Amino acid sequence: MRAVLALLLATSAAAFSPAAQTSSKSALGATAVDKELGVQAPIGFFDPLGFIKNGPYGGPEENFSHYRSVEVKHGRIAMAATVGTLVQQNSHFTGLISTSENLSFEDVPNGYAALAVVPLAGWCQMIITIGLHEVLVKQRPGKVPGDFGTGYLGEKMDDQSAKQLRALNVELANGRLAMLGILGMWASEHIHGSPLTEVAGLA
């Protein structure tokens, strides 16, 4: 488990960057990377392998922008995965996931076991949808990493406003916790053979 956590931290170099309530004037910004959003106590700026300084994407600002974009994306996916795992444990959609196989959503188990139950056509649909999102939804030039112009759950926030900066810091912190959380859930399922074993008795 320590090795998994170390790998997560290493590949998300800017992940545990602590944050002053200031941010860059553009996507790359004028703020020093060790003062950027996400630099939060008690870790502070966390880049032990020097990816920001020595990365392959240009100077420190370009490297930071790339790694921050990756961190935000992975954090959002991990938050969705964490919530999905918790909800799936106790609730399912009604209806059929596959009419040709007469397979209902309730027949799909939580955790790893779902990989073998969801039909191939279902996985293909999910992969195509993700691929289209990657191709069609683009980062807005000159904006902070992760800004695709869709607002914050429909809410518009002024650039660099205190409200926006706080929301971005909260998203980064929650995304980091979710990455650790979903990795912990997968590790637990691998060890115990079923998902959410630790909280099974609390339901």
Side-chain angles (χ1 to χ4, degrees), residues 6 10 12 17 26 35 38 58 60 64 74 80 93 119 149 159 172 175:
S12 184
S17 327
S26 67
K35 304 294 183 186
F64 175 84
H74 289 178
F93 288 116
D159 285 347
L172 287 166

Side-chain angles (χ1 to χ4, degrees), residues 190-201:
H190 180 73
I191 293 169
H192 298 290
S194 61
L196 302 176
T197 301
E198 295 83 357
V199 298

Side-chain angles (χ1 to χ4, degrees), residues 24-197:
S24 23
K25 295 179 180 178
S26 67
L28 298 180
T31 303
V33 293
D34 61 350
K35 304 294 183 186
E36 270 284 359
L37 286 170
V39 181
Q40 299 167 356
I43 301 296
F45 181 74
F46 189 86
D47 183 19
L49 299 182
F51 286 150
I52 300 301
K53 180 180 179 181
N54 304 313
Y57 303 101
E61 291 182 347
E62 289 80 7
N63 288 322
F64 175 84
S65 180
H66 172 82
Y67 289 122
R68 173 51 57 82
S69 296
V70 171
E71 179 191 12
V72 170
K73 178 184 288 187
H74 289 178
R76 290 170 177 172
I77 293 170
M79 285 188 279
T82 299
V83 172
T85 300
L86 296 173
V87 171
Q88 174 80 355
Q89 187 71 5
N90 298 297
S91 178
H92 295 80
F93 288 116
T94 57
L96 298 177
I97 188 174
S98 173
T99 54
S100 61
E101 299 186 19
N102 196 33
L103 183 70
S104 71
F105 285 100
E106 293 182 348
D107 295 327
V108 179
N110 199 8
Y112 290 153
L115 296 173
V117 175
V118 175
L120 177 61
W123 289 115
C124 290
Q125 291 173 39
M126 286 185 269
I127 292 170
I128 290 171
T129 300
I130 293 169
L132 288 173
H133 184 278
E134 288 288 312
V135 171
L136 299 177
V137 181
K138 298 293 187 181
Q139 163 78 35
R140 290 203 296 170
K143 299 297 183 180
V144 295
D147 185 341
F148 296 97
T150 54
Y152 302 87
L153 297 178
E155 180 181 358
K156 296 294 183 181
M157 296 186 191
D158 295 332
D159 285 347
Q160 304 303 303
S161 67
K163 186 175 183 180
Q164 185 202 51
L165 296 178
R166 181 184 181 281
L168 293 174
N169 257 330
V170 169
E171 180 185 26
L172 287 166
N174 289 347
R176 292 164 185 171
L177 288 173
M179 286 188 276
L180 295 174
I182 194 64
L183 283 174
M185 292 181 194
W186 290 342
S188 173
E189 183 176 355
H190 180 73
I191 293 169
H192 298 290
S194 61
L196 302 176
T197 301

